[in-house]
Amino acid sequence: MEVQPDRTSGSKYYDIVIVGAGPAGLMLSTCLARWGYKIKHIDNRAQPTPTGRADGIQPRSLDLLRNMGLKPAIMANKPARVYEVAFWDPPKSGKGIERTGTWASCPSFIDARYPFTTLLHQGMIERVFIADLEKSGVQIQRPWTITGFSSDEKENPEYPVTVDLEHVDGTNKETVRAKYLFGGEGARSFIRDQLKIGIKHKDPIAFVWGVMDGVVQTDFPDIKMKCTIHSEHGSIMVIPRENNMVRLYIQIASSTDPDWSPRKTATEEDVQASAKKILQPYSIEWDRVEWYSVYPIGQGISDRYTLDHRVFLGGDACHTHSPKAGQGMNTAFLDAQNLAWKIHLVERGFADRSVLKTYEPERKEVAESLLAFDNKYAKLFSQRPPAATEVQAASENVSEEAEDNEFIKTFKASCEFTSGYGVAYGPNSFNWSEDHPAQSHVLHPKGTKLRTGRLFINSDVTRVADANVVHLEQEVPLNGSFRIFVFAGKPSVTRQALKDLTTYMNRKGSFFSTYLRPDIDQVSYHERHNPHSWLYTFCTVFAAPRTSIEISRDVPDLLARYREHVYADDRWDRRVPDAAAAAHAKMGLDQEKGGVVVVRPDGYVGMVASLVEGSDTVDALNQYFSSFCTKKLGETMAQL
Amino acid sequence: MEVQPDRTSGSKYYDIVIVGAGPAGLMLSTCLARWGYKIKHIDNRAQPTPTGRADGIQPRSLDLLRNMGLKPAIMANKPARVYEVAFWDPPKSGKGIERTGTWASCPSFIDARYPFTTLLHQGMIERVFIADLEKSGVQIQRPWTITGFSSDEKENPEYPVTVDLEHVDGTNKETVRAKYLFGGEGARSFIRDQLKIGIKHKDPIAFVWGVMDGVVQTDFPDIKMKCTIHSEHGSIMVIPRENNMVRLYIQIASSTDPDWSPRKTATEEDVQASAKKILQPYSIEWDRVEWYSVYPIGQGISDRYTLDHRVFLGGDACHTHSPKAGQGMNTAFLDAQNLAWKIHLVERGFADRSVLKTYEPERKEVAESLLAFDNKYAKLFSQRPPAATEVQAASENVSEEAEDNEFIKTFKASCEFTSGYGVAYGPNSFNWSEDHPAQSHVLHPKGTKLRTGRLFINSDVTRVADANVVHLEQEVPLNGSFRIFVFAGKPSVTRQALKDLTTYMNRKGSFFSTYLRPDIDQVSYHERHNPHSWLYTFCTVFAAPRTSIEISRDVPDLLARYREHVYADDRWDRRVPDAAAAAHAKMGLDQEKGGVVVVRPDGYVGMVASLVEGSDTVDALNQYFSSFCTKKLGETMAQL
């Protein structure tokens, strides 16, 4: 996408000031930089995270990184992959520990492309983003900090935010103006404090954790898996890492202890001694320790994510919790991604400023679920091990019906949530529901398995132009555009409906023709995703074999312009083994008549409509986009 | 693997001198450098290939690059992927061209991991190897050339080869001594000429080809696919490339033309004008041309690949052919890989020097097949298009029984060959046959689908230690070791057989105990592949669910030392949908009793044996390795 011209005279005007170059800040910065925004990005550390810290990339986050083209650089670091979690407890009789069960970290009932957690040092992940930012011309300004800010739309409607920045050693200062300010500063957020936004504690209990990364020699058989181990000597969590390392989490103190102090600490040797006791009868010795840290952490959630929709918070500034579910970085990514495209829609003049109000409720609800999950998980993890009789050995042929103990049950029930595939945004202008302003008989056709506010379902299709087998949900990169998937069913059945769809799209006042690119006459022949509009990318999927599809004959010109976004739904899928058109079947769309799916720029389903002859499908799309777009869209196209 | 100490005092002694840094030279250099050899590698070009040249990586070659850890770096260049080939011919009636059929470049009857051809500029591929070589401390010396050499084992049995090298501008010279000399200099090989090795022409016809890489605008629908187009105005071949480029091959002259001259040429504009005519009624215009070249090429095959098994040839120095089947680089890779591990076995003292004699017959037979294929393919390609009546449109639901024209038939029949999965090495000491010195009732058990001299069959399994789903055939990297896969069937059935296997392996004089590492007592706890021997890596695969396998209980110590090479054959495979143990089933091994498979260091099957109680399995392995190993191995272990 082309870089927008700098609309300001001086260099001290920015589209956004981003404070903090952890996962939240970097994700936001990377999205906005790619879409052409002018960014001031600071961090108070002299260098990216050198070692330790959050490091779990959940399955859905890996999809997102792939959609951004960053997955190969992440995987080049050879991360560990966690496919299963093992539970160890005291045996029914005797001493020591025994495995009481294992469970897939992303069980097969979740249709994930990458059914594993990717474990990698946070600094490596930060560096992947930083390298990408540099390609967009953004450098993180380090070590700089924020000392003050104000926001006043009346004083300056275009650049209402003033931000004071300072080098950490006080040698240099600057004041800049921006349209937005983002606080991705972590749990001790200056911006949140200045805004006097409170923190609620879902659970008043706080813990002190010890965490140790190192290379070990051990005969403990599950050292390469994620394990939660309860023993009479305490509890420990094992997480494999890149470079043959293993991370151990051990709880050092709890606010329920009689002698509780958040400053309680333990030495490296103390933790190693505890680990040795807990792992008995297995032995463990350290070749080297790469990182060791002790930190107190409580559960907290920020009361607000923004006050004025100019200054926003995200990531750990909004939610803190235990490290065990591996959710921190993932939640930070999705906070930032959610905000990025909404700012983009507003600043490009597509969407009304009110859409920014959907950021807090969408993301805060996810954080609430995360804390509820973490709360339950953490309590079980830290309490005395369950009685041996409670423990159900889940060895060979684990069945879902097996009577698991509370701990395993909680874990299983939460897999969908922790994988990232369970994120569900509630109804609003983007996520159609029966209460949405758009009302039409074509909306949300019976049978569809797509759920608005949830991720678009994964499917394999064949690209017609080059016969490549591709992952449909990945075909449109994270380009800030809505992804409109026209499932075109059987060509002979939908010929007229497809023609009508594009005819009414081309009518004045439609969602499509209202938001054409101003430079549409100069667009390159080779533009793949946005030849007509920055707001939409179109994909057409026929329920027919690739060789039977002739783009010039079967696809109306408007959709045919997306030459590399025409697909054949002709791949077999084990989840719908008998379907003639697996992608249509997985979406629950009619395999003859198709349907139209609007996917938000972040990959969540916005609305689903039948593909019908006449103007009804376009009318419904116009109504849907009308609910948040800046311009009035035609609602009665058929009468024009 | 550790680097061998430099056994020579001066720096002018090398294990090998490699001339030419194209695909053959780079593959050989990369393998040997990783295995610790001292290399002098020269190339007479100042820089790697800047543009153009061979660029097709066939499915099996991508497996090989992955096995070397080089695939991510290759794919980072975003190559084009060819899944299908389209055939265009004059229509039955009327003018212009029409699609008469398409065929998968690697049809589903081939069990390939990557069923497509990867297309990428040769220079990018060379740079991936060069970067890897630099990690092993090898720099290509450029631009240097070879001016003479001699080889005399009597004069210097250890370093019999003397090589004279010179900077291309004559400013600098050096003479070095080496154990081996490799000529990977391309079709005009100085070394081959000096050895007075002749070239045979399978087909006396030579052609002049024009080749053009560029970015085009066209309404030709298959521009993103590989196409062979015949028209009344001539023939052309279309191959997609990285960076939105397309390569066109056009035949400019044939030695069958009345006015034939190998120096006949055509300008860029001539070729573009021809292409425009051939593609009618479609239009084509060039945005830019990246590379254009005209070159004459005939089919040729070197009479010998070596005379004395000290000076070897490989790659284009041994075989030239038309560019259309995309085989050149792939054949060069496999020439070099084949030679690399054989030199390694000899130089490490494992194998008798006579194993080097298997290089020429194994690789020359492949080259003969390639030329036979190319000959047939090229003739069809260059002849007048077949009559319209001969052409069978293969549009919807292409069936294998469809009566195809000769051209398509040849193509289909050759898919296995061109994908690289069809390479078949004949019987010799490595590739067991009924005439092999090893003779035992356990050898090549009835039912096995593995074929000696052919690739090990691909299969998915679950690694027991970390529950990762992995590709078994990729689990041992290209480390120069034989890969011994112990398919261990059902643990309760094979318990004694497994125990006996390791008991007899541990006996003095066995193939295993005879070739232990001299530094076995100092081997790192973390060594994954070669804890005992540089000659072998062992993998154990149970036909049981992962959670039922306990390494400490089910795997004898010797095999359990390969902690990360114990697998559960518990993944479903669409090719054997009803098998309880898909990998066992695909190999054709008993799902209860298992079997032992010896895979050569290059991934081809050497021998297959039943896994039985008593000493017979180890006896058979001893006999097999005895046929080429340097030391006498125990043949009657049971009597010891």
Side-chain angles (χ1 to χ4, degrees), chain B residues 602-619:
Chain B
D602 55 0
Y604 292 80
V605 175
M607 62 156 271
V608 185
S610 312
L611 174 63
V612 295
E613 295 179 13
S615 73
D616 287 357
T617 302
V618 173
D619 285 346

Short mmCIF file of all heavy atoms in Angstrom, two decimals, chain B residues 602-619:
data_model
loop_
_atom_site.label_atom_id
_atom_site.label_comp_id
_atom_site.label_asym_id
_atom_site.label_seq_id
_atom_site.Cartn_x
_atom_site.Cartn_y
_atom_site.Cartn_z
N ASP B 602 22.14 -41.13 1.85
CA ASP B 602 21.45 -40.22 0.93
C ASP B 602 19.95 -40.48 0.87
O ASP B 602 19.26 -39.89 0.05
CB ASP B 602 22.06 -40.29 -0.48
CG ASP B 602 22.09 -41.70 -1.05
OD1 ASP B 602 21.65 -42.65 -0.37
OD2 ASP B 602 22.58 -41.87 -2.19
N GLY B 603 19.44 -41.39 1.71
CA GLY B 603 17.99 -41.56 1.79
C GLY B 603 17.44 -42.70 0.96
O GLY B 603 16.22 -42.89 0.91
N TYR B 604 18.31 -43.45 0.28
CA TYR B 604 17.85 -44.59 -0.52
C TYR B 604 17.95 -45.86 0.32
O TYR B 604 18.86 -46.00 1.15
CB TYR B 604 18.69 -44.70 -1.80
CG TYR B 604 18.41 -43.52 -2.72
CD1 TYR B 604 19.02 -42.29 -2.49
CD2 TYR B 604 17.48 -43.62 -3.75
CE1 TYR B 604 18.73 -41.19 -3.29
CE2 TYR B 604 17.18 -42.53 -4.55
CZ TYR B 604 17.80 -41.32 -4.31
OH TYR B 604 17.50 -40.23 -5.10
N VAL B 605 17.00 -46.77 0.09
CA VAL B 605 16.95 -47.99 0.90
C VAL B 605 18.11 -48.91 0.51
O VAL B 605 18.34 -49.18 -0.67
CB VAL B 605 15.61 -48.72 0.69
CG1 VAL B 605 15.59 -50.05 1.43
CG2 VAL B 605 14.47 -47.82 1.16
N GLY B 606 18.85 -49.39 1.52
CA GLY B 606 19.95 -50.31 1.29
C GLY B 606 19.49 -51.75 1.45
O GLY B 606 19.70 -52.59 0.57
N MET B 607 18.86 -52.03 2.58
CA MET B 607 18.35 -53.39 2.81
C MET B 607 17.21 -53.35 3.81
O MET B 607 17.04 -52.39 4.56
CB MET B 607 19.46 -54.32 3.31
CG MET B 607 20.07 -53.92 4.64
SD MET B 607 20.82 -55.30 5.55
CE MET B 607 19.41 -55.91 6.49
N VAL B 608 16.42 -54.42 3.77
CA VAL B 608 15.28 -54.57 4.69
C VAL B 608 15.39 -55.96 5.29
O VAL B 608 15.71 -56.92 4.58
CB VAL B 608 13.94 -54.45 3.93
CG1 VAL B 608 12.76 -54.47 4.90
CG2 VAL B 608 13.91 -53.19 3.07
N ALA B 609 15.17 -56.06 6.59
CA ALA B 609 15.23 -57.37 7.24
C ALA B 609 14.06 -57.53 8.20
O ALA B 609 13.53 -56.55 8.71
CB ALA B 609 16.56 -57.52 8.00
N SER B 610 13.69 -58.75 8.46
CA SER B 610 12.72 -59.02 9.52
C SER B 610 13.39 -58.74 10.86
O SER B 610 14.61 -58.84 11.00
CB SER B 610 12.30 -60.49 9.53
OG SER B 610 11.98 -60.92 8.24
N LEU B 611 12.58 -58.42 11.84
CA LEU B 611 13.08 -58.26 13.21
C LEU B 611 12.69 -59.54 13.94
O LEU B 611 11.51 -59.77 14.22
CB LEU B 611 12.43 -57.03 13.86
CG LEU B 611 12.72 -56.79 15.33
CD1 LEU B 611 14.20 -56.52 15.55
CD2 LEU B 611 11.88 -55.62 15.85
N VAL B 612 13.70 -60.37 14.21
CA VAL B 612 13.39 -61.69 14.80
C VAL B 612 14.14 -61.89 16.12
O VAL B 612 15.15 -61.22 16.38
CB VAL B 612 13.77 -62.85 13.84
CG1 VAL B 612 12.90 -62.79 12.58
CG2 VAL B 612 15.25 -62.81 13.50
N GLU B 613 13.67 -62.79 16.90
CA GLU B 613 14.39 -63.16 18.13
C GLU B 613 15.62 -63.96 17.75
O GLU B 613 15.66 -64.61 16.71
CB GLU B 613 13.45 -63.95 19.06
CG GLU B 613 12.30 -63.08 19.53
CD GLU B 613 11.31 -63.80 20.45
OE1 GLU B 613 11.63 -64.89 20.93
OE2 GLU B 613 10.21 -63.23 20.68
N GLY B 614 16.64 -63.89 18.59
CA GLY B 614 17.90 -64.57 18.27
C GLY B 614 18.82 -63.61 17.53
O GLY B 614 18.62 -62.39 17.55
N SER B 615 19.82 -64.17 16.87
CA SER B 615 20.86 -63.32 16.28
C SER B 615 20.68 -63.08 14.79
O SER B 615 21.47 -62.36 14.18
CB SER B 615 22.23 -63.97 16.52
OG SER B 615 22.36 -65.10 15.68
N ASP B 616 19.65 -63.66 14.18
CA ASP B 616 19.58 -63.62 12.72
C ASP B 616 19.52 -62.21 12.13
O ASP B 616 20.12 -61.94 11.09
CB ASP B 616 18.38 -64.44 12.21
CG ASP B 616 18.63 -65.95 12.35
OD1 ASP B 616 19.74 -66.31 12.78
OD2 ASP B 616 17.71 -66.72 12.04
N THR B 617 18.81 -61.32 12.81
CA THR B 617 18.71 -59.96 12.26
C THR B 617 20.08 -59.28 12.28
O THR B 617 20.51 -58.68 11.28
CB THR B 617 17.67 -59.14 13.06
OG1 THR B 617 16.42 -59.82 13.00
CG2 THR B 617 17.52 -57.74 12.49
N VAL B 618 20.77 -59.38 13.41
CA VAL B 618 22.10 -58.76 13.48
C VAL B 618 23.07 -59.47 12.54
O VAL B 618 23.90 -58.84 11.89
CB VAL B 618 22.62 -58.74 14.94
CG1 VAL B 618 24.07 -58.25 14.99
CG2 VAL B 618 21.73 -57.84 15.80
N ASP B 619 22.96 -60.79 12.43
CA ASP B 619 23.81 -61.52 11.48
C ASP B 619 23.64 -60.97 10.07
O ASP B 619 24.61 -60.76 9.34
CB ASP B 619 23.44 -63.02 11.46
CG ASP B 619 23.94 -63.75 12.71
OD1 ASP B 619 24.79 -63.18 13.42
OD2 ASP B 619 23.47 -64.88 12.95
#
